[in-house]
């Protein structure tokens, strides 16, 4: 299969590693263009599953080593899937809104938590990291196959479409604490950039929330803050 | 200053980046052996602070480029501190217990959350990643300067010293859900390895807990699970 180093403008992206590839084959075989197996891959049961799903869905499979040298340096990776990128449109309901996220791994980790807590819609306000980056796909453990991600040029564009949602911007100086604020359904949990957080104007949007913690740290890591927010917003579903 | 690539057996480790270095200078100047400033570092105010603290504490400062080529490849790093490693002994009280953690960045992220939620004691059951790894120190954003980390050869060794704590092993099939289980003070939140979780025998230790989530994902990422556990265990401090 012809493989080149990933670029943002490509029509395809790559799923690296058996777990991530299996997620795409199970959830979205329609967008899997091909699967490449490393000659040294020894997990026969997984290989058999891959071959069966690919046969059933007429997906090309090849066994070769070279693509691994191009796409995967240090990682313990023996299977690659070539994925057609597909843009999504958000559904009504509960959303995560990420304003200018800049780290591919963080975005993937947020996708994984978000799918875990049953929040399938993620809005991203640009400029932002590429949600199709193979590093994002990998960090998501394949959750990227199941969440809907839509890019918006400005927060106002998002607000215009989903203005009826309850907006909860997460800010270090938010006026309510997460620990004592019940989150209403049809929520938008809004989080800012890793280094800079949300711009000040979000103090006047919806109900700004702070996750209380000691003053010994400046802030929580972004995927941690986002995941605690999702955990708290959905906790009543599990009680 | 004489600098070599970090090895686990060295008596020193490195803090990379101004934020992390400032944490060590502010919290633990006594273990900072030296500070190296990149000739291109332009943040004059930070530079002045570094020089002042180093002067007051008789810490050597040098301005040179070479150590950055050895220790820091891609990162946006203009200050390095050389840190004397110091082993800690856990205090009584609330603990995080990590059984065989394997990823340096994850361990650092857990330290950051742990300090954030006021849990300063982390037990690590070996084999495990090196808690002094510069990648751990960096991911912790310098929280590594303020938490106590103690290594134990076996979980039983930990249990012998802190058997009066309330043990909460986090397992995918834990019998109580996090969302509905109040955590008692003097807790030990116990989490397993990234890939394999906790061994089955932990089903019979204390009160096993599952963080409920949809079946769309296999598990949460380790630092996410650990941070949700800490958030939940300390939430009453903030209400």
């Amino acid at each position: 299969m012809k493989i080149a180093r990933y670029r943002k403008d490509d029509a395809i992206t790559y799923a690296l590693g058996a777990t991530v590839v299996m997620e795409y084959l199970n959830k979205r075989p329609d967008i899997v263009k091909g699967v490449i197996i490393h000659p040294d891959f020894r997990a026969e049961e997984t290989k058999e599953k891959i071959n069966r799903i690919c046969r059933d869905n007429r997906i090309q499979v090849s066994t070769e080593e070279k693509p691994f040298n191009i796409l995967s340096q240090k990682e313990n990776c023996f299977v690659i899937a070539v994925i057609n990128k597909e843009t999504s449109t958000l559904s009504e309901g509960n959303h995560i809104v990420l304003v200018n996220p800049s780290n591919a791994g963080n975005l993937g980790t947020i996708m994984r938590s978000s799918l875990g807590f049953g929040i399938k819609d993620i809005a991203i306000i640009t400029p932002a990291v590429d949600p199709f980056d193979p590093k994002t796909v990998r960090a998501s453990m394949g959750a990227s196959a199941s969440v809907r991600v839509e890019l918006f040029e400005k927060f106002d564009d998002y607000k215009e479409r989903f203005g009826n949602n309850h907006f909860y911007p997460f800010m270090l100086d938010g006026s309510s604490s997460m620990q004592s604020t019940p989150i209403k359904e049809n929520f938008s949990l809004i989080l800012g950039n890793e280094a800079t957080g949300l711009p000040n104007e979000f103090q006047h949007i919806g109900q700004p929330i702070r996750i209380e913690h000691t003053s010994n740290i400046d802030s929580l890591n972004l995927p941690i803050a986002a995941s605690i927010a999702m955990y708290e917003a959905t906790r009543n579903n599990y009680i």
Side-chain angles (χ1 to χ4, degrees), chain A:
Chain A
M1 239 171 273
K2 237 182 102 181
I3 294 294
R5 186 187 280 266
Y6 175 76
R7 287 163 315 177
K8 195 175 171 167
D9 294 334
D10 293 346
I12 53 145
T13 185
Y14 301 106
L16 304 178
T19 309
V20 184
V21 169
M22 285 310 300
E23 276 298 301
Y24 274 90
L25 286 175
N26 284 325
K27 304 282 167 57
R28 295 301 309 275
D30 57 307
I31 58 170
V32 180
K33 210 175 151 187
V35 173
I36 304 156
I37 296 178
H38 194 285
D40 295 342
F41 187 51
R42 290 281 162 270
E44 295 303 330
E45 207 178 316
T46 306
K47 210 191 286 187
E48 173 44 40
K49 261 190 219 157
I50 291 172
N51 280 317
R52 184 171 43 70
I53 298 175
C54 288
R55 203 166 48 234
D56 292 352
N57 292 277
R58 301 187 186 181
I59 297 166
Q60 188 189 350
V61 183
S62 71
T63 301
E64 40 184 331
E65 191 173 342
K66 208 177 143 204
F68 292 85
N69 304 330
I70 298 169
L71 294 177
S72 154
Q73 286 93 2
K74 53 175 183 169
E75 321 203 42
N76 186 16
C77 168
F78 292 95
V79 191
I80 295 171
V82 183
I83 310 291
N84 286 318
K85 289 183 186 175
E86 202 192 54
T87 56
S88 315
T89 304
L90 295 196
S91 295
E92 302 283 334
N94 298 326
H95 297 168
I96 303 295
V97 182
L98 301 174
V99 179
N100 312 137
S102 67
N103 180 288
N106 283 350
L107 178 55
T109 303
I110 292 173
M111 288 179 180
R112 179 175 171 190
S113 290
S114 141
L115 184 61
F117 290 118
I119 305 168
K120 289 202 175 180
D121 293 279
I122 302 176
I124 295 182
I125 315 300
T126 60
V129 66
D130 171 17
F132 292 107
D133 191 300
K135 287 203 263 326
T136 302
V137 171
R138 188 165 169 92
S140 85
M141 296 294 277
S144 52
S146 302
V147 294
R148 288 177 286 270
V149 175
E150 184 174 349
L151 301 184
F152 294 84
E153 234 179 85
K154 301 188 305 291
F155 180 75
D156 283 347
D157 298 343
Y158 170 81
K159 197 174 153 187
E160 210 173 306
R161 278 230 332 262
F162 298 104
N164 289 331
N165 262 24
H166 299 286
F167 287 175
Y168 298 99
F170 282 75
M171 311 183 76
L172 295 179
D173 50 358
S175 49
S176 299
S177 90
M178 173 89 278
Q179 281 89 343
S180 56
T181 309
I183 302 292
K184 295 187 191 127
E185 275 298 294
N186 292 322
F187 53 74
S188 299
L189 308 176
I190 309 168
L191 293 110
N193 169 271
E194 282 85 348
T196 57
L198 285 174
N200 267 333
E201 66 239 41
F202 280 87
Q203 288 290 7
H204 309 292
I205 293 174
Q207 175 56 69
I209 302 263
R210 64 182 190 280
I211 300 175
E212 291 228 46
H213 53 71
T214 68
S215 58
N216 291 325
I217 63 166
D218 289 334
S219 67
L220 294 163
N221 155 295
L222 175 62
I224 300 284
S227 301
I228 288 174
M230 295 189 257
Y231 167 83
E232 189 68 57
T234 61
R235 62 179 291 139
N236 289 329
N237 304 348
Y238 299 103
I239 290 180

